[in-house]
Structures are given as structure tokens and as C-alpha cells.
Amino acid sequence: MSLGDDTGQTRTRMPERGGDPYGGARRGGRSSSRSLVTVVGVVVLLIAAIAFANRGGDDSAAEEGGSDNSPKSAATSPSGKKPVSSKASGIPSGFAHDRQGAESAAANYSVVLGSAEMFDKARRDVILQSIIAPDRVADFETTLDKAYTPKFNKNVGLNDDGTTPKGHTFVSRTSPIGTKVTASSADAATVEVWCSGLLGLTGESSTNPVTNSWFTITMQLKWTNDDWKIVTHSQKDGPTPVPGDKRASNADEMAKAVEEYGGFTYAR
């Protein structure tokens, strides 16, 4: 989403929503701008952290048609195969050693990396050890430890130690919309995952209401220890659809939805 972009295209003004989200989270232009800057700052910091972790990686396989054997890009469609049935540390594992298995792995890993669990140091380390290639784990851990600082946690509305303030519910979720393989070989694959994400804090006094974003994650995966593991990870904005005119849910509705609706195991 871009703001203040004078392109000459028709703009749609969305109707005013009933009530201020989360009881005063929007206090005029200055408060809204501050919230936007905070969200943008969070996204930029995370992207920078991941990019730093990926330094020195070989990005050649990420290009479309990187080899003669690279499959052509195709729309994600159901195949009829069952999702994986095993999990390691609560994370889907045991993906098929083929293109479809790589797509399913990338989709599920996108969900985990975009979860609220990443804000907990102990849980984050378990996640990284489960989905990152063994020779890359240390780099990811070091870089993300530097990214998830007390200041960073405070910027998203959390306590300095990453815990959620009393009376609030922290929301950080990623939902894959589709996947695309842009390069592959017997033991390697580059997969793009188009995602929608939620980030924010519910609660009557929250000044960081839950907002929606759209982005595409690119992962280079390699087959190791009988499963697909991440070698590199990057993210870019979009594609982003035109927002609808639906009323924004209040804090109670959002918190209840997060608590009652569980996630999925993704498979193509």
C-alpha cells in the first residue's frame, strides 16, 4: 500500500467506520500517522534482519527458469494429496521429496515465521532449529536475537521482554494465499509464497490495532535430514488487493477470533 501517490488514477474513499477501533486507538491524523510509522518500522526491521541473515547465500537459483530442468510457474491448485501427518516441536514436518512437498513446506514455514511465537526467545530458537538448514541456524539465531530487542517489542505494543501487556491479546499471523516454484532440482527448490498477514494488539487501550498487510516471501530450500529446510528467506510487499468497505471489528471481536480460530497445516 502506498500513501500520497499522485498517479492520476481514480481513488476510492472508504466510508467512515462505526466507532474508533479499540476505544481511542485512532486519535486524529497525528496518532494514525504514528501508528503507521510504527508498523512500517517493524516490517523494515524484520526484512533487514532476514536480509542480514541471508548474506553470502547464493541467490542464483531464485531466478525464473534458473536451469533447463526448472518447472514453469503455475497457479497453485489442489492435488488431492493429504497434508503431512507428522510434526516436530508442533511444526509440520515430513514433507514429500518433490516439488509439491517443497511448496507445502514453504507455506507452512511462512506461517511459523510470521507467528507470535517468534517474539519469545526460547520458542523462536526451537522454531529456527526445526525449519532452518543446520548450517544456517546459528546465523539466523544471532541476527534475529539482535532484531527482537526490547525497543522492537515496545514498538509493536508488547512489554520489553516480549510478553503481552495485561488485558490485551497480541496478534501476529501469516496466511498463505498461494505458492509458486521458480526453480528446482532434485534436492533444492526456490518457492515464492503469496501471503496475507495480521499484526497488532487488541485491547481497550491499544494504540496499535490489528492491521492487515500483503506480501510475498521467497525461500530457498534444500533437502536435508529427510525434509525440506530453509537456506535463505526474503520478503517483498504485495500483490495487494483493493481494501473492502467492511466495518473494522472492535477489540473484543478481534481477540475472541484469535483465541477461537486455530491455524491450518498447508499442503498443495
Side-chain angles (χ1 to χ4, degrees):
M1 177 179 70
S2 61
L3 299 177
D5 181 14
D6 263 330
T7 60
Q9 297 180 349
T10 301
R11 296 184 180 181
T12 302
R13 182 178 179 84
M14 311 314 291
E16 292 295 327
R17 294 165 176 165
D20 285 343
Y22 308 172
R26 300 172 71 182
R27 300 191 183 104
R30 293 183 60 186
S31 179
S32 297
S33 298
R34 192 180 305 114
S35 297
L36 177 60
V37 170
T38 297
V39 172
V40 171
V42 170
V43 174
V44 170
L45 180 57
L46 284 178
I47 292 176
I50 295 297
F52 181 86
N54 292 336
R55 287 193 309 176
D58 181 9
D59 293 333
S60 59
E63 298 178 2
E64 181 78 28
S67 68
D68 292 339
N69 295 325
S70 299
K72 301 298 182 181
S73 300
T76 301
S77 58
S79 67
K81 291 187 178 181
K82 294 181 179 180
V84 294
S85 57
S86 59
K87 289 189 176 183
S89 302
I91 302 169
S93 62
F95 298 97
H97 190 184
D98 55 21
R99 168 178 170 165
Q100 183 168 308
E103 289 184 89
S104 182
N108 283 282
Y109 294 165
S110 296
V111 173
V112 174
L113 288 172
S115 69
E117 292 180 302
M118 290 291 288
F119 289 80
D120 178 273
K121 164 64 177 173
R123 182 56 182 163
R124 182 169 68 248
D125 286 348
V126 171
I127 290 172
L128 296 179
Q129 291 164 11
S130 299
I131 68 177
I132 305 296
D135 59 344
R136 298 287 291 139
V137 171
D139 288 340
F140 271 81
E141 286 182 346
T142 299
T143 302
L144 291 181
D145 284 348
K146 294 178 180 179
Y148 286 92
T149 62
K151 181 179 180 180
F152 174 69
N153 292 332
K154 188 175 181 179
N155 283 342
V156 297
L158 299 175
N159 296 321
D160 289 352
D161 61 357
T163 58
T164 304
K166 186 177 180 179
H168 294 75
T169 299
F170 180 58
V171 182
S172 181
R173 285 197 182 188
T174 294
S175 299
I177 305 301
T179 60
K180 177 177 69 173
V181 175
T182 58
S184 71
S185 62
D187 295 321
T190 300
V191 184
E192 293 184 2
V193 187
W194 181 30
C195 304
S196 175
L198 299 176
L199 179 66
L201 199 68
T202 70
E204 292 281 330
S205 60
S206 173
T207 56
N208 295 315
V210 179
T211 57
N212 174 248
S213 62
W214 293 82
F215 48 92
T216 298
I217 295 173
T218 299
M219 294 183 189
Q220 287 187 353
L221 306 172
K222 72 175 181 180
W223 185 257
T224 181
N225 296 334
D226 295 322
D227 214 345
W228 290 107
K229 303 292 183 180
I230 299 173
V231 178
T232 66
H233 174 291
S234 61
Q235 180 177 314
K236 64 181 181 181
D237 291 339
T240 304
V242 176
D245 59 356
K246 302 299 182 182
R247 177 188 66 85
S249 297
N250 60 36
D252 289 340
E253 291 174 327
M254 186 61 68
K256 185 177 180 181
V258 172
E259 293 168 357
E260 294 184 350
Y261 292 90
F264 296 98
T265 296
Y266 290 83
R268 202 177 76 73

